[in-house]
């Protein structure tokens, strides 16, 4: 959803060219799609259409399953070639790609797919992957084509967006120009203290790049972002820029895992962990986690922030998942599906890999369990974030905010708060829940099968960065 650094569009400019976007019912009705995603897509498509019109073209918006849509389009306007970016998406888009491949084969139509990130199709080994990533990121930026020539007889087609489904969330607006503005503001002022300020939700909101939805939906290329960050020369910015560039690398590193093993959308990286949490899924805990009503204020504040804005920083995402996985012993899959809808930047390759990593089921990553109270003390020491998103606790003195259940009854009375009535008691006893969780996961990690699986996962997916 951009015109700059868009290899397929540039290739299309060599001939008659019809830019097409297809609204796919299977994607729009899926468990991981949200009204806020649709709104962002619509905003992006409106701007894209305007950009294409300035170049003598326009965007054709169609709706339906892709092979059927293309069959009808082909009857109306015969074409011999489809050009697109490669996509590493969820099972639905993977299946669609296979169906489209089959359709193009039957029709004798050429389908050219261009790379757009560091993800490598049909990768044989991870060994030289990092070098390939750098090679891709340092290639020249592709200019937007100045002119495009549409085929004739397009009068029967109209430009109509899918209606915006109602979303009460206040999210970042979509579009290529917004993406560029966000990049410029990050690299000229907001990003200076990125490295130091990325972990607290208070500072991360402005010190993180906030580029993720634009990268996910294709409003800006990863290559452009990488190259722009390399242009920042001020010495005091360098630690932040290095951290930022590592994360752009991680973006593709995690997506490569889904590309290489699409099954990780549904099952554990390490099969040794199969059955660990599945049979004990506690629906009440899950509900409380989803609603931001666990009785752990920092966890609840993060979840409620997501309900309102569809974005939160990395550390808080990790804490939310660690809490679900260890404190509540919830299997990652329903939690990942739930948050996919609540992340405007939902990118399946990063999402499922990160979810499994933070839940301890990859077999190769260090087990990280975040204590919500410790995180609150470090990342929100004055309780500003908690007060903003958990208004029931807004009046409580800071010393009680992270563990409000410990507030003496008289103090509760003084501040007009009844723990257990106005705000829940903690749904689990942290000490007990964590000791049980640690015992189970560390015992499993030592088994021969888990060790063999760790070797297998490491060989297939492990980073070879060093
Ligand atoms: C459980 C969990 C789920 C996640 N799901 C997603 C997701 O669906 N989509 C998504 O884009 N990110 C996801 N992340 C990674 C990360 O939290 C977000 O990329 C980041 O918070 C987005 O904000 P930003 O653009 O300001 O990031 P910045 O910190 O400014 O980073 C710049 C870019 O680098 C990439 N990036 C940053 N951190 C990571 C990371 N840890 N792993 C991979 N790439 C990274 C993203 O493309 C991001 O836009 C997830 C993290 C966790 C713990």
């Amino acid at each position: 959803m951009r015109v700059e650094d868009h290899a397929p569009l540039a290739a299309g400019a060599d001939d008659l060219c019809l830019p097409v976007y297809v609204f796919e019912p299977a994607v729009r009705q899926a468990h991981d799609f949200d009204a806020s995603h649709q709104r962002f897509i619509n905003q992006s498509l409106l701007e894209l259409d305007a950009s294409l019109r300035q170049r003598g073209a326009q965007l054709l918006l169609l709706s339906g399953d892709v092979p059927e849509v293309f069959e009808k389009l082909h009857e109306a306007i015969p074409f011999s070639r489809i050009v697109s970016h490669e996509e590493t998406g969820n099972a639905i888009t993977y299946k669609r790609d296979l169906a489209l491949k089959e359709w193009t084969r039957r029709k004798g139509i050429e389908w050219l797919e261009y790379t757009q990130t560091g993800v490598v199709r049909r990768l044989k080994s991870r060994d030289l992957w990092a070098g390939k990533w750098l090679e891709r990121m340092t290639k020249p930026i592709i200019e937007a084509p100045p002119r495009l020539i549409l085929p004739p007889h397009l009068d029967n087609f109209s430009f109509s967006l899918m209606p915006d489904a109602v979303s009460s969330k206040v999210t970042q607006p979509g579009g290529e120009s917004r993406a560029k503005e966000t990049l410029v503001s990050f690299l000229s002022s907001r990003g200076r203290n990125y490295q130091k300020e990325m972990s607290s939700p208070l500072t991360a909101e402005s010190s993180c790049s906030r580029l993720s939805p634009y990268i996910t939906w294709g409003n800006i290329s990863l290559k452009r972002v990488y190259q722009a960050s390399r242009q920042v020369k001020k010495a005091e910015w360098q630690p932040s820029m290095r951290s930022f560039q590592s994360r752009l690398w991680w973006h593709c590193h995690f997506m490569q895992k889904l590309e290489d093993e699409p099954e990780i959308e549904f099952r554990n990286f390490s099969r040794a962990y199969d059955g660990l949490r599945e049979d004990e899924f506690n629906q009440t805990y899950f509900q409380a986690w989803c609603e931001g009503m666990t009785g752990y204020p920092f966890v609840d504040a993060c979840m409620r922030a997501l309900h309102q804005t569809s974005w939160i920083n990395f550390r808080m995402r990790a804490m939310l998942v660690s809490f679900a996985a260890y404190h509540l012993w919830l299997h990652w899959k329903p939690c990942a599906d739930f948050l996919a809808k609540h992340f405007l930047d939902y990118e399946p390759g990063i999402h499922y890999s990160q979810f499994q990593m933070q839940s301890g089921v990859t077999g190769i990553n260090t087990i990280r369990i975040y204590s919500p109270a410790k995180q609150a003390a470090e990342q929100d020491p004055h309780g500003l974030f908690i007060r903003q998103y958990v208004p029931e606790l807004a009046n409580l003195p800071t010393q009680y905010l992270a563990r409000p259940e410990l507030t003496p009854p008289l103090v509760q009375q003084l501040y007009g708060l009844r723990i257990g009535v106005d705000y829940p008691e903690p749904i689990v006893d942290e000490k007990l829940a964590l000791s049980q969780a640690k015992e189970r996961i560390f015992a499993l990690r030592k088994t021969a099968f888990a060790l063999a699986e760790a070797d297998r996962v490491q060989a297939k997916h492990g980073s070879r960065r060093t």
Side-chain angles (χ1 to χ4, degrees):
M1 286 191 263
R2 62 174 182 271
V3 293
E4 284 183 14
D5 206 26
H6 191 312
L9 191 66
D14 294 343
D15 205 336
L16 296 182
C17 155
L18 179 55
V20 175
Y21 183 87
V22 185
F23 292 105
E24 298 167 87
V27 170
R28 298 181 67 246
Q29 288 154 16
H31 60 273
D32 54 3
F33 193 80
D34 188 60
S36 55
H37 298 156
Q38 186 62 61
R39 185 171 60 192
F40 191 92
I41 291 171
N42 282 353
Q43 290 160 342
S44 303
L45 293 177
L46 272 174
E47 188 182 336
L48 178 58
D49 184 58
S51 301
L52 291 169
R53 283 175 194 270
Q54 282 168 10
R55 291 167 169 80
Q58 72 174 84
L59 189 59
L60 189 61
L61 293 176
L62 300 169
S63 179
D65 293 338
V66 175
E68 280 139 49
V69 164
F70 277 15
E71 177 76 39
K72 282 199 199 122
L73 186 62
H74 190 253
E75 277 165 23
I77 311 166
F79 55 85
S80 57
R81 187 158 58 126
I82 299 171
V83 284
S84 77
H85 275 125
E86 286 176 351
E87 181 176 356
T88 306
N90 60 11
I92 295 167
T93 62
Y94 180 51
K95 214 166 120 198
R96 170 254 283 150
D97 280 0
L98 295 178
L100 184 62
K101 187 106 234 148
E102 172 55 20
W103 181 81
T104 53
R105 196 194 55 73
R106 267 195 290 115
K107 293 297 223 188
I109 290 170
E110 185 184 24
W111 180 14
L112 285 177
E113 290 178 272
Y114 292 78
T115 59
Q116 60 173 331
T117 62
V119 176
V120 180
R121 280 264 161 101
R122 288 174 280 278
L123 183 71
K124 295 265 179 319
S125 152
R126 269 291 186 123
D127 286 351
L128 300 173
W129 185 85
K132 287 193 185 115
W133 182 87
L134 195 61
E135 201 183 298
R136 294 239 186 118
M137 292 303 130
T138 45
K139 281 197 172 147
I141 300 290
I142 302 163
E143 296 291 324
R147 199 119 200 100
L148 293 160
I149 307 168
L150 285 172
H153 313 305
L154 282 176
D155 310 342
N156 293 338
F157 295 98
S158 62
F159 181 92
S160 62
L161 289 169
M162 279 292 139
D164 273 359
V166 181
S167 169
S168 57
K169 293 177 178 171
V170 181
T171 55
Q172 290 175 262
E176 188 168 6
S177 57
R178 296 289 191 157
K180 282 194 239 167
E181 282 163 25
T182 307
L183 178 66
V184 169
S185 71
F186 177 65
L187 295 180
S188 59
S189 57
R190 294 188 293 111
R192 183 188 163 125
N193 297 322
Y194 171 76
Q195 193 193 30
K196 286 189 204 131
E197 296 181 346
M198 67 168 85
S199 296
S200 163
L202 294 166
T203 45
E205 192 183 350
S206 97
S207 296
C208 282
S209 73
R210 308 302 307 277
L211 284 165
S212 53
Y214 301 112
I215 296 173
T216 288
W217 297 103
N219 288 155
I220 197 161
S221 73
L222 204 71
K223 191 209 302 168
R224 177 176 284 279
V225 174
Y226 176 76
Q227 293 189 11
S229 74
R230 299 282 300 178
Q231 292 303 314
V232 178
K233 300 290 179 209
K234 288 175 230 142
E236 65 276 21
W237 278 66
Q238 293 317 307
S240 283
M241 288 301 99
R242 278 195 294 275
S243 293
F244 179 65
Q245 286 147 13
S246 297
R247 279 153 184 83
L248 299 179
W249 184 91
W250 288 358
H251 176 104
C252 305
H253 165 69
F254 286 110
M255 283 181 69
Q256 185 71 50
K257 296 180 191 229
L258 184 68
E259 176 68 33
D260 292 344
E261 194 173 348
E263 297 79 12
I264 60 147
E265 181 180 344
F266 305 102
R267 65 176 204 209
N268 296 326
F269 273 98
S270 166
R271 311 312 304 274
Y273 296 85
D274 289 359
L276 183 66
R277 294 186 176 101
E278 286 84 336
D279 298 337
E280 294 171 48
F281 195 82
N282 184 316
Q283 199 60 39
T284 309
Y285 289 175
F286 178 59
Q287 208 58 37
W289 181 78
C290 293
E291 288 169 8
M293 291 293 279
T294 65
Y296 285 80
F298 207 34
V299 170
D300 293 341
C302 291
M303 185 58 91
R304 295 187 200 182
L306 272 172
H307 287 227
Q308 291 181 32
T309 68
S310 276
W311 184 86
I312 194 123
N313 59 324
F314 171 79
R315 175 68 67 87
M316 297 302 108
R317 293 185 199 206
M319 182 185 74
L320 276 173
V321 177
S322 143
F323 187 81
Y326 298 108
H327 291 70
L328 306 183
W329 204 245
L330 295 174
H331 190 270
W332 57 269
K333 178 62 177 156
C335 302
D337 289 347
F338 177 79
L339 283 191
K341 285 170 93 82
H342 286 284
F343 287 173
L344 187 62
D345 58 26
Y346 166 54
E347 179 66 77
I350 303 176
H351 197 66
Y352 295 110
S353 304
Q354 277 288 350
F355 248 92
Q356 293 209 38
M357 186 167 138
Q358 305 301 340
S359 305
V361 294
T362 63
I364 59 172
N365 301 104
T366 313
I367 301 285
R368 287 219 164 81
I369 303 177
Y370 294 89
S371 148
K374 183 167 176 278
Q375 289 299 314
E378 288 171 9
Q379 311 300 348
D380 185 26
H382 307 295
L384 299 176
F385 190 75
I386 292 179
R387 285 181 221 282
Q388 183 179 356
Y389 289 105
V390 188
E392 306 92 291
L393 304 178
N395 296 328
L396 208 59
T398 306
Q399 70 194 96
Y400 302 115
L401 265 186
R403 304 276 314 270
E405 74 280 8
L406 302 182
T407 314
L410 263 180
V411 180
Q412 290 190 33
Q413 213 176 1
L414 188 64
Y415 291 98
L417 175 77
R418 291 158 303 167
I419 295 298
V421 178
D422 304 314
Y423 181 73
E425 299 262 7
I427 50 170
V428 287
D429 176 300
E430 182 168 43
K431 227 171 159 183
L432 184 66
L434 289 190
S435 80
Q436 286 171 349
K438 283 180 190 167
E439 200 178 307
R440 293 178 74 176
I441 201 126
F442 286 115
L444 187 55
R445 234 173 131 85
K446 288 187 207 128
T447 60
F449 183 41
L451 293 171
E453 276 293 277
D455 286 345
R456 185 188 61 76
V457 175
Q458 176 64 27
K460 189 169 179 70
H461 296 290
S463 131
R464 313 281 201 276
R465 208 161 183 199
T466 46

